[in-house]
Amino acid sequence: MALLLPLLTALALLTCRPGGSLGCALPGSHAQVSRDNLVLLGQMRRLSPFLCLRARKDFRFPREMLEGGQLWEAQAAAAVLRELLQQTFNLLHTERSSAAWSPAPLHGLRSGLHRQLEALDACLLQATGEGERAPGMHGPALAIKRYFQDIRVYLEDEGYSDCAWEIVRLEIMRALSSSATLQDSLAIKDEDLGSS
């Protein structure tokens, strides 16, 4: 576990870069916020995951949908990234999550997710134009929504125990590190669009 956080941070560093494939530029601080979010999640650890082996669950993160080329246009990829960030923010912005973790890192993580959502919303608005609508919820975005619904059901079934929250914290780290891959695919799609 001690090696996991530096690995995730390195992954975020390599794949979260300024500039977007949507015809807009995310602020230069976007990559730093992603790194900070992973560090804050690491700081939120309250007990060893080894104590929670019985509480483990495979939430079936839809990684193959995010990495398997099912996102054909940059706006759809951005909509999926936005859904991932929004669902994470919503999960962490509950009374029960406030009781589960120390206030300072939780507040910092919420704040970082909020800044990322604002930047992505501004980017999507700029890319789609004020009169147009961003892509709706379908395919991969719905899979992300179902994934987080499964996490909520799990927490409820486990009585919001400390171990359940620890498993969810690890799962959020996994999801956010996968979002770096999605952000990278946005940059690749921009290069593809520019060459046609």
Side-chain angles (χ1 to χ4, degrees):
M1 182 65 189
L3 296 175
L4 183 60
L5 186 59
L7 178 64
L8 293 175
T9 303
L11 178 64
L13 273 170
L14 292 172
T15 59
C16 299
R17 53 185 181 255
S21 62
L22 300 172
C24 64
L26 291 172
S29 62
H30 191 78
Q32 182 62 47
V33 173
S34 293
R35 288 188 302 270
D36 292 347
N37 286 346
L38 289 173
V39 168
L40 288 166
L41 275 165
Q43 292 173 356
M44 289 166 59
R45 178 179 157 179
R46 290 181 53 189
L47 48 109
S48 171
F50 295 111
L51 297 174
C52 301
L53 291 177
R54 290 186 180 163
R56 284 184 310 176
K57 177 173 171 50
D58 181 5
F59 295 102
R60 302 187 191 279
F61 182 72
R63 183 181 312 263
E64 64 283 345
M65 293 185 86
L66 302 180
E67 297 173 352
Q70 292 189 24
L71 301 172
W72 294 106
E73 59 185 58
Q75 289 178 357
V80 170
L81 177 59
R82 193 205 180 287
E83 186 64 25
L84 179 64
L85 294 172
Q86 184 67 60
Q87 290 293 329
T88 302
F89 180 82
N90 292 348
L91 183 65
L92 296 175
H93 213 279
T94 64
E95 189 175 319
R96 294 194 190 255
S97 70
S98 296
W101 289 306
S102 299
L106 181 59
H107 175 73
L109 181 57
R110 288 173 178 166
S111 178
L113 289 167
H114 183 71
R115 286 193 312 268
Q116 286 184 299
L117 283 165
E118 284 182 333
L120 195 53
D121 284 345
C123 192
L124 280 168
L125 183 63
Q126 181 182 350
T128 59
E130 292 188 32
E132 299 176 36
R133 292 181 51 104
M137 282 280 256
H138 59 320
L142 279 177
I144 295 293
K145 194 169 191 139
R146 282 191 298 269
Y147 164 76
F148 276 93
Q149 182 59 37
D150 288 346
I151 290 174
R152 286 182 185 88
V153 168
Y154 165 79
L155 283 167
E156 187 175 329
D157 289 349
E158 293 292 318
Y160 300 93
S161 70
D162 288 344
C163 273
W165 279 112
E166 177 59 20
I167 297 301
V168 167
R169 182 189 68 82
L170 292 170
E171 192 66 25
I172 291 170
M173 287 183 80
R174 184 173 148 200
L176 290 181
S177 68
S178 291
S179 75
T181 303
L182 186 56
Q183 291 176 44
D184 192 39
S185 76
L186 288 172
I188 291 169
K189 289 179 188 321
D190 186 37
E191 293 166 9
D192 293 344
L193 291 174
S195 64
S196 51

